[in-house]
Amino acid sequence: MNSDQVKEVKMAPSKRQKTFSDSKSPPFVIKTVEMHTGGEPVRIITEGYPKIEGKTILEKRAYVRDHLDVFRKRLLWEPRGHYDMYGALLVEPDDKTADIGVLFMHNNGYGTMCGHACIGLGRYVVDKGIVPAKSPETELVIQCPTGPVKVWVDYQDGKSGRARFHSVPAFVFALDQEVDVPNYGRVKVDIASGGAFYAFLPDSSLGLDLRKASIEAVRSAAIAVTEAVRKAVKLRHPEHPDMVYLDGTIITDGRDEYDETPTVHTSVFGGSFVDRSPCGSGTTARVAILHRRGQLDLSKARQFASGPTGSVMTGRPVRETRWGEFDAVIVEVAGNAYYTGTAEFTVEPDDPLKDGFLVK
């Protein structure tokens, strides 16, 4: 898709824009660009959202959560979305180095970091001309709630392509943390942050085989682990207290030693949300764990495949750093995003299901 085919973005307008209406006036629209990265949807909200108050991106995230949450539900829940839909709301950045700002949203609320969305947004920003396109690749910065993320997008013969990003510092919070998981027994998990906190453990610890287990079996096991870790472990973040929560659990195939073939994992996060992609922030966190354990050297790349779809992202530790009390590493993750369409969503005032619903 070229830039002429992508809807114009209007970020954080100074005047209230037309949007979903509950009045008797004609319904208005919210416009989106639809993409996917490795099978995981990215609904980029480009026009029609109400004015978002707040000076910083975290203030804007809090305002949207506290005052405009009905719009998240209307856009991501059925009948306009589905249980595993993912959204990216474009806002003006307050970081002067950033080209755009973004708020992430899913069925259960608002994320802090999303790698698969950053890969899609990279292409979108280049194709819209928000930054001038340069060959062989175009560099840009996306301000996420967790911090600025640098993105490079391949650009050849007038077409954008594969994208890679450098995470905010990724760090290991705990290795071999023992927790009791109801119905699964006592297990060991690693906990790391790649912009969001995840617990990691091999499928064999839960009596599963990712190659054969149903998605519901994987989902149920991951939810049980997440709930157990949330109860047993008190997390700490080096900078943002409101980011101190476990986003989910990633179940791996246990193949942590380096191999040229992809290692498989499945991420279950948010409100029991099954990621169709290898999960960009989860892959970032897993790379941090592998590097800490001496299983992935600096600048050495590893392929990570999605359990549900088989789609692949590449991750590598780039350089070591420090974030507060934690030894950390900058991780590069690369993948491909694709356009699937555009949409205009409306609401009729007399629709009894206008505010959305979920079928779990």
Short mmCIF file of all heavy atoms in Angstrom, two decimals, residues 215-268:
data_model
loop_
_atom_site.label_atom_id
_atom_site.label_comp_id
_atom_site.label_asym_id
_atom_site.label_seq_id
_atom_site.Cartn_x
_atom_site.Cartn_y
_atom_site.Cartn_z
N ILE A 215 -5.12 -24.08 21.99
CA ILE A 215 -4.95 -22.70 22.45
C ILE A 215 -5.62 -22.51 23.81
O ILE A 215 -5.09 -21.82 24.69
CB ILE A 215 -5.51 -21.70 21.42
CG1 ILE A 215 -4.62 -21.66 20.19
CG2 ILE A 215 -5.63 -20.31 22.02
CD1 ILE A 215 -3.21 -21.16 20.45
N GLU A 216 -6.76 -23.12 24.01
CA GLU A 216 -7.45 -22.97 25.29
C GLU A 216 -6.65 -23.58 26.44
O GLU A 216 -6.64 -23.05 27.55
CB GLU A 216 -8.86 -23.57 25.22
CG GLU A 216 -9.84 -22.71 24.47
CD GLU A 216 -9.85 -21.27 24.96
OE1 GLU A 216 -9.96 -21.05 26.18
OE2 GLU A 216 -9.74 -20.35 24.12
N ALA A 217 -5.98 -24.70 26.18
CA ALA A 217 -5.14 -25.30 27.22
C ALA A 217 -3.97 -24.39 27.56
O ALA A 217 -3.62 -24.21 28.73
CB ALA A 217 -4.64 -26.67 26.76
N VAL A 218 -3.36 -23.80 26.54
CA VAL A 218 -2.24 -22.88 26.77
C VAL A 218 -2.73 -21.63 27.48
O VAL A 218 -2.10 -21.15 28.43
CB VAL A 218 -1.57 -22.52 25.42
CG1 VAL A 218 -0.49 -21.46 25.63
CG2 VAL A 218 -0.97 -23.75 24.77
N ARG A 219 -3.87 -21.10 27.04
CA ARG A 219 -4.43 -19.91 27.67
C ARG A 219 -4.72 -20.15 29.15
O ARG A 219 -4.36 -19.35 30.01
CB ARG A 219 -5.72 -19.48 26.94
CG ARG A 219 -6.28 -18.14 27.43
CD ARG A 219 -7.76 -17.99 27.11
NE ARG A 219 -8.07 -18.12 25.70
CZ ARG A 219 -8.26 -17.09 24.88
NH1 ARG A 219 -8.15 -15.86 25.33
NH2 ARG A 219 -8.58 -17.31 23.62
N SER A 220 -5.37 -21.27 29.45
CA SER A 220 -5.73 -21.56 30.84
C SER A 220 -4.50 -21.70 31.73
O SER A 220 -4.47 -21.20 32.85
CB SER A 220 -6.57 -22.84 30.89
OG SER A 220 -7.79 -22.68 30.22
N ALA A 221 -3.49 -22.38 31.23
CA ALA A 221 -2.26 -22.56 32.01
C ALA A 221 -1.57 -21.22 32.23
O ALA A 221 -1.11 -20.92 33.35
CB ALA A 221 -1.32 -23.53 31.30
N ALA A 222 -1.49 -20.40 31.20
CA ALA A 222 -0.83 -19.10 31.32
C ALA A 222 -1.56 -18.19 32.30
O ALA A 222 -0.93 -17.49 33.10
CB ALA A 222 -0.72 -18.44 29.95
N ILE A 223 -2.89 -18.19 32.24
CA ILE A 223 -3.67 -17.37 33.17
C ILE A 223 -3.40 -17.81 34.61
O ILE A 223 -3.23 -16.98 35.51
CB ILE A 223 -5.17 -17.47 32.84
CG1 ILE A 223 -5.45 -16.78 31.51
CG2 ILE A 223 -6.01 -16.83 33.94
CD1 ILE A 223 -6.87 -17.03 31.00
N ALA A 224 -3.36 -19.11 34.84
CA ALA A 224 -3.10 -19.63 36.20
C ALA A 224 -1.74 -19.19 36.70
O ALA A 224 -1.58 -18.81 37.87
CB ALA A 224 -3.22 -21.16 36.20
N VAL A 225 -0.74 -19.23 35.82
CA VAL A 225 0.60 -18.81 36.22
C VAL A 225 0.62 -17.31 36.52
O VAL A 225 1.19 -16.87 37.53
CB VAL A 225 1.63 -19.15 35.13
CG1 VAL A 225 2.99 -18.55 35.46
CG2 VAL A 225 1.74 -20.66 34.96
N THR A 226 0.01 -16.52 35.65
CA THR A 226 -0.03 -15.07 35.86
C THR A 226 -0.66 -14.73 37.20
O THR A 226 -0.13 -13.91 37.97
CB THR A 226 -0.81 -14.39 34.72
OG1 THR A 226 -0.13 -14.61 33.49
CG2 THR A 226 -0.92 -12.90 34.96
N GLU A 227 -1.79 -15.34 37.49
CA GLU A 227 -2.47 -15.06 38.76
C GLU A 227 -1.62 -15.48 39.95
O GLU A 227 -1.56 -14.77 40.97
CB GLU A 227 -3.82 -15.77 38.78
CG GLU A 227 -4.81 -15.18 37.77
CD GLU A 227 -6.12 -15.95 37.71
OE1 GLU A 227 -6.18 -17.07 38.31
OE2 GLU A 227 -7.07 -15.46 37.07
N ALA A 228 -0.94 -16.61 39.84
CA ALA A 228 -0.10 -17.08 40.95
C ALA A 228 1.09 -16.16 41.17
O ALA A 228 1.45 -15.84 42.32
CB ALA A 228 0.38 -18.50 40.67
N VAL A 229 1.72 -15.71 40.10
CA VAL A 229 2.88 -14.83 40.23
C VAL A 229 2.45 -13.48 40.78
O VAL A 229 3.14 -12.89 41.63
CB VAL A 229 3.60 -14.66 38.88
CG1 VAL A 229 4.71 -13.62 38.97
CG2 VAL A 229 4.17 -16.00 38.42
N ARG A 230 1.32 -12.97 40.34
CA ARG A 230 0.83 -11.68 40.86
C ARG A 230 0.61 -11.74 42.37
O ARG A 230 0.87 -10.76 43.07
CB ARG A 230 -0.47 -11.29 40.15
CG ARG A 230 -0.26 -10.77 38.73
CD ARG A 230 -1.58 -10.53 38.04
NE ARG A 230 -1.41 -9.96 36.70
CZ ARG A 230 -2.36 -9.87 35.79
NH1 ARG A 230 -3.58 -10.34 36.05
NH2 ARG A 230 -2.11 -9.33 34.60
N LYS A 231 0.16 -12.88 42.86
CA LYS A 231 -0.07 -13.02 44.29
C LYS A 231 1.22 -13.21 45.08
O LYS A 231 1.35 -12.74 46.21
CB LYS A 231 -1.00 -14.21 44.55
CG LYS A 231 -2.43 -14.00 44.09
CD LYS A 231 -3.27 -15.25 44.33
CE LYS A 231 -4.70 -15.06 43.83
NZ LYS A 231 -5.52 -16.30 44.04
N ALA A 232 2.20 -13.88 44.47
CA ALA A 232 3.40 -14.27 45.21
C ALA A 232 4.56 -13.30 45.10
O ALA A 232 5.43 -13.28 45.98
CB ALA A 232 3.85 -15.66 44.74
N VAL A 233 4.62 -12.51 44.03
CA VAL A 233 5.81 -11.71 43.76
C VAL A 233 5.45 -10.23 43.72
O VAL A 233 4.52 -9.82 43.00
CB VAL A 233 6.45 -12.13 42.42
CG1 VAL A 233 7.71 -11.29 42.16
CG2 VAL A 233 6.79 -13.61 42.43
N LYS A 234 6.20 -9.43 44.45
CA LYS A 234 6.03 -7.98 44.43
C LYS A 234 7.07 -7.39 43.48
O LYS A 234 8.27 -7.44 43.73
CB LYS A 234 6.21 -7.40 45.83
CG LYS A 234 5.93 -5.90 45.90
CD LYS A 234 6.02 -5.38 47.33
CE LYS A 234 5.70 -3.89 47.39
NZ LYS A 234 5.80 -3.37 48.78
N LEU A 235 6.60 -6.86 42.37
CA LEU A 235 7.49 -6.33 41.36
C LEU A 235 7.94 -4.90 41.70
O LEU A 235 7.31 -4.21 42.49
CB LEU A 235 6.79 -6.33 39.99
CG LEU A 235 6.35 -7.69 39.45
CD1 LEU A 235 5.55 -7.50 38.17
CD2 LEU A 235 7.55 -8.58 39.21
N ARG A 236 9.01 -4.49 41.06
CA ARG A 236 9.51 -3.11 41.17
C ARG A 236 9.91 -2.63 39.78
O ARG A 236 10.46 -3.39 38.99
CB ARG A 236 10.73 -3.01 42.10
CG ARG A 236 10.50 -3.46 43.52
CD ARG A 236 11.74 -3.22 44.40
NE ARG A 236 12.95 -3.81 43.84
CZ ARG A 236 13.28 -5.10 43.97
NH1 ARG A 236 12.47 -5.93 44.61
NH2 ARG A 236 14.41 -5.57 43.45
N HIS A 237 9.62 -1.36 39.50
CA HIS A 237 10.04 -0.75 38.25
C HIS A 237 11.05 0.34 38.57
O HIS A 237 10.88 1.08 39.56
CB HIS A 237 8.83 -0.17 37.50
CG HIS A 237 9.14 0.25 36.10
ND1 HIS A 237 9.75 1.45 35.78
CD2 HIS A 237 8.94 -0.39 34.91
CE1 HIS A 237 9.90 1.54 34.48
NE2 HIS A 237 9.42 0.44 33.92
N PRO A 238 12.09 0.50 37.77
CA PRO A 238 13.13 1.48 38.10
C PRO A 238 12.70 2.93 37.99
O PRO A 238 13.40 3.81 38.51
CB PRO A 238 14.24 1.17 37.09
CG PRO A 238 13.56 0.48 35.97
CD PRO A 238 12.43 -0.29 36.58
N GLU A 239 11.56 3.20 37.34
CA GLU A 239 11.20 4.60 37.11
C GLU A 239 9.73 4.91 37.29
O GLU A 239 9.39 5.97 37.82
CB GLU A 239 11.65 5.00 35.69
CG GLU A 239 11.55 6.47 35.38
CD GLU A 239 12.19 6.82 34.05
OE1 GLU A 239 13.14 6.11 33.63
OE2 GLU A 239 11.75 7.79 33.41
N HIS A 240 8.84 4.02 36.85
CA HIS A 240 7.42 4.34 36.80
C HIS A 240 6.62 3.42 37.72
O HIS A 240 6.37 2.26 37.37
CB HIS A 240 6.89 4.21 35.37
CG HIS A 240 7.62 5.06 34.38
ND1 HIS A 240 7.67 6.44 34.48
CD2 HIS A 240 8.33 4.73 33.27
CE1 HIS A 240 8.37 6.92 33.47
NE2 HIS A 240 8.78 5.91 32.73
N PRO A 241 6.16 3.89 38.88
CA PRO A 241 5.39 3.04 39.80
C PRO A 241 4.11 2.48 39.18
O PRO A 241 3.67 1.38 39.55
CB PRO A 241 5.07 3.99 40.96
CG PRO A 241 6.13 5.05 40.90
CD PRO A 241 6.42 5.22 39.45
N ASP A 242 3.50 3.22 38.22
CA ASP A 242 2.24 2.73 37.66
C ASP A 242 2.46 1.66 36.60
O ASP A 242 1.50 1.16 36.00
CB ASP A 242 1.42 3.88 37.08
CG ASP A 242 2.15 4.67 36.01
OD1 ASP A 242 3.38 4.51 35.91
OD2 ASP A 242 1.50 5.44 35.28
N MET A 243 3.71 1.29 36.36
CA MET A 243 4.01 0.18 35.45
C MET A 243 4.43 -1.07 36.19
O MET A 243 4.94 -2.01 35.60
CB MET A 243 5.10 0.59 34.45
CG MET A 243 4.67 1.70 33.52
SD MET A 243 5.91 2.08 32.27
CE MET A 243 5.19 3.55 31.54
N VAL A 244 4.20 -1.08 37.49
CA VAL A 244 4.58 -2.23 38.32
C VAL A 244 3.43 -3.23 38.35
O VAL A 244 2.65 -3.28 39.30
CB VAL A 244 4.98 -1.79 39.74
CG1 VAL A 244 5.38 -2.99 40.59
CG2 VAL A 244 6.12 -0.79 39.69
N TYR A 245 3.27 -3.97 37.28
CA TYR A 245 2.30 -5.05 37.26
C TYR A 245 2.73 -6.07 36.22
O TYR A 245 3.42 -5.74 35.25
CB TYR A 245 0.89 -4.54 36.95
CG TYR A 245 0.71 -3.98 35.56
CD1 TYR A 245 0.25 -4.78 34.52
CD2 TYR A 245 0.98 -2.65 35.29
CE1 TYR A 245 0.08 -4.28 33.24
CE2 TYR A 245 0.81 -2.13 34.01
CZ TYR A 245 0.36 -2.95 33.00
OH TYR A 245 0.20 -2.44 31.74
N LEU A 246 2.36 -7.31 36.47
CA LEU A 246 2.69 -8.40 35.56
C LEU A 246 1.67 -8.41 34.43
O LEU A 246 0.48 -8.61 34.67
CB LEU A 246 2.68 -9.73 36.30
CG LEU A 246 3.18 -10.94 35.48
CD1 LEU A 246 4.70 -10.87 35.31
CD2 LEU A 246 2.79 -12.24 36.17
N ASP A 247 2.14 -8.20 33.19
CA ASP A 247 1.22 -8.11 32.06
C ASP A 247 0.71 -9.47 31.64
O ASP A 247 -0.41 -9.59 31.13
CB ASP A 247 1.92 -7.42 30.89
CG ASP A 247 0.93 -6.79 29.92
OD1 ASP A 247 -0.20 -6.49 30.35
OD2 ASP A 247 1.28 -6.61 28.75
N GLY A 248 1.53 -10.52 31.82
CA GLY A 248 1.08 -11.84 31.42
C GLY A 248 2.16 -12.88 31.54
O GLY A 248 3.21 -12.65 32.14
N THR A 249 1.91 -14.04 30.96
CA THR A 249 2.84 -15.17 31.01
C THR A 249 3.12 -15.64 29.58
O THR A 249 2.22 -15.70 28.74
CB THR A 249 2.24 -16.33 31.82
OG1 THR A 249 2.17 -15.94 33.19
CG2 THR A 249 3.07 -17.60 31.69
N ILE A 250 4.38 -15.98 29.34
CA ILE A 250 4.79 -16.50 28.05
C ILE A 250 5.31 -17.93 28.26
O ILE A 250 6.27 -18.14 29.01
CB ILE A 250 5.87 -15.62 27.40
CG1 ILE A 250 5.26 -14.23 27.10
CG2 ILE A 250 6.40 -16.26 26.11
CD1 ILE A 250 6.22 -13.25 26.47
N ILE A 251 4.64 -18.88 27.64
CA ILE A 251 5.02 -20.28 27.74
C ILE A 251 5.91 -20.62 26.54
O ILE A 251 5.55 -20.36 25.39
CB ILE A 251 3.77 -21.19 27.77
CG1 ILE A 251 2.90 -20.83 28.98
CG2 ILE A 251 4.17 -22.66 27.82
CD1 ILE A 251 1.57 -21.59 29.04
N THR A 252 7.08 -21.18 26.81
CA THR A 252 8.06 -21.46 25.77
C THR A 252 8.15 -22.96 25.51
O THR A 252 7.66 -23.78 26.29
CB THR A 252 9.45 -20.93 26.16
OG1 THR A 252 10.06 -21.85 27.08
CG2 THR A 252 9.36 -19.55 26.80
N ASP A 253 8.86 -23.30 24.43
CA ASP A 253 9.11 -24.72 24.15
C ASP A 253 10.31 -25.26 24.91
O ASP A 253 10.70 -26.43 24.74
CB ASP A 253 9.28 -24.95 22.64
CG ASP A 253 10.46 -24.18 22.05
OD1 ASP A 253 11.21 -23.52 22.81
OD2 ASP A 253 10.64 -24.23 20.82
N GLY A 254 10.94 -24.41 25.73
CA GLY A 254 12.07 -24.84 26.55
C GLY A 254 13.40 -24.89 25.81
O GLY A 254 14.42 -25.24 26.40
N ARG A 255 13.42 -24.51 24.55
CA ARG A 255 14.64 -24.57 23.75
C ARG A 255 15.40 -23.25 23.90
O ARG A 255 15.40 -22.40 23.02
CB ARG A 255 14.32 -24.86 22.29
CG ARG A 255 13.74 -26.25 22.07
CD ARG A 255 13.30 -26.49 20.62
NE ARG A 255 14.39 -26.19 19.70
CZ ARG A 255 14.37 -25.17 18.82
NH1 ARG A 255 13.35 -24.33 18.80
NH2 ARG A 255 15.37 -24.98 18.00
N ASP A 256 16.05 -23.10 25.05
CA ASP A 256 16.72 -21.84 25.36
C ASP A 256 18.16 -21.79 24.86
O ASP A 256 18.68 -20.70 24.59
CB ASP A 256 16.72 -21.59 26.87
CG ASP A 256 15.32 -21.34 27.41
OD1 ASP A 256 14.46 -20.88 26.61
OD2 ASP A 256 15.08 -21.59 28.59
N GLU A 257 18.82 -22.94 24.74
CA GLU A 257 20.18 -22.93 24.21
C GLU A 257 20.15 -22.52 22.74
O GLU A 257 19.22 -22.86 22.01
CB GLU A 257 20.82 -24.32 24.36
CG GLU A 257 21.05 -24.74 25.80
CD GLU A 257 22.04 -23.84 26.54
OE1 GLU A 257 22.93 -23.25 25.86
OE2 GLU A 257 21.93 -23.73 27.77
N TYR A 258 21.18 -21.81 22.32
CA TYR A 258 21.16 -21.24 20.97
C TYR A 258 21.00 -22.30 19.89
O TYR A 258 21.62 -23.37 19.94
CB TYR A 258 22.44 -20.44 20.70
CG TYR A 258 22.41 -19.78 19.34
CD1 TYR A 258 21.69 -18.61 19.14
CD2 TYR A 258 23.05 -20.37 18.25
CE1 TYR A 258 21.61 -18.03 17.89
CE2 TYR A 258 22.98 -19.79 16.99
CZ TYR A 258 22.26 -18.62 16.81
OH TYR A 258 22.19 -18.05 15.57
N ASP A 259 20.16 -21.98 18.93
CA ASP A 259 19.90 -22.86 17.79
C ASP A 259 19.51 -21.97 16.64
O ASP A 259 18.87 -20.92 16.83
CB ASP A 259 18.76 -23.83 18.13
CG ASP A 259 18.64 -24.97 17.13
OD1 ASP A 259 18.70 -24.69 15.92
OD2 ASP A 259 18.47 -26.12 17.55
N GLU A 260 19.88 -22.34 15.42
CA GLU A 260 19.54 -21.53 14.26
C GLU A 260 18.08 -21.66 13.86
O GLU A 260 17.56 -20.82 13.11
CB GLU A 260 20.45 -21.88 13.09
CG GLU A 260 21.91 -21.47 13.31
CD GLU A 260 22.77 -21.70 12.08
OE1 GLU A 260 22.25 -22.24 11.08
OE2 GLU A 260 23.96 -21.33 12.14
N THR A 261 17.41 -22.69 14.34
CA THR A 261 15.97 -22.83 14.06
C THR A 261 15.19 -22.05 15.12
O THR A 261 15.65 -21.88 16.26
CB THR A 261 15.55 -24.30 14.07
OG1 THR A 261 15.84 -24.86 15.36
CG2 THR A 261 16.29 -25.08 13.00
N PRO A 262 13.99 -21.56 14.77
CA PRO A 262 13.23 -20.74 15.71
C PRO A 262 12.81 -21.51 16.96
O PRO A 262 12.44 -22.69 16.89
CB PRO A 262 12.00 -20.30 14.90
CG PRO A 262 12.41 -20.45 13.48
CD PRO A 262 13.34 -21.62 13.44
N THR A 263 12.88 -20.86 18.10
CA THR A 263 12.28 -21.37 19.32
C THR A 263 10.86 -20.81 19.41
O THR A 263 10.60 -19.66 19.03
CB THR A 263 13.09 -20.98 20.56
OG1 THR A 263 12.38 -21.40 21.74
CG2 THR A 263 13.33 -19.48 20.65
N VAL A 264 9.93 -21.63 19.88
CA VAL A 264 8.51 -21.27 19.87
C VAL A 264 8.07 -20.81 21.25
O VAL A 264 8.49 -21.37 22.28
CB VAL A 264 7.66 -22.49 19.43
CG1 VAL A 264 6.17 -22.14 19.45
CG2 VAL A 264 8.08 -22.96 18.05
N HIS A 265 7.24 -19.78 21.29
CA HIS A 265 6.58 -19.41 22.53
C HIS A 265 5.21 -18.80 22.24
O HIS A 265 4.94 -18.34 21.12
CB HIS A 265 7.44 -18.48 23.40
CG HIS A 265 7.80 -17.16 22.79
ND1 HIS A 265 9.07 -16.60 22.88
CD2 HIS A 265 7.08 -16.25 22.10
CE1 HIS A 265 9.10 -15.43 22.28
NE2 HIS A 265 7.89 -15.19 21.80
N THR A 266 4.36 -18.80 23.25
CA THR A 266 3.02 -18.22 23.15
C THR A 266 2.81 -17.27 24.32
O THR A 266 3.01 -17.63 25.48
CB THR A 266 1.93 -19.31 23.18
OG1 THR A 266 2.10 -20.15 22.03
CG2 THR A 266 0.54 -18.68 23.14
N SER A 267 2.41 -16.04 24.00
CA SER A 267 2.19 -15.00 24.99
C SER A 267 0.70 -14.86 25.28
O SER A 267 -0.11 -14.74 24.35
CB SER A 267 2.75 -13.67 24.49
OG SER A 267 2.40 -12.61 25.37
N VAL A 268 0.35 -14.87 26.56
CA VAL A 268 -1.03 -14.63 27.00
C VAL A 268 -0.97 -13.47 27.98
O VAL A 268 -0.37 -13.57 29.05
CB VAL A 268 -1.64 -15.87 27.66
CG1 VAL A 268 -3.09 -15.59 28.07
CG2 VAL A 268 -1.58 -17.07 26.72
#
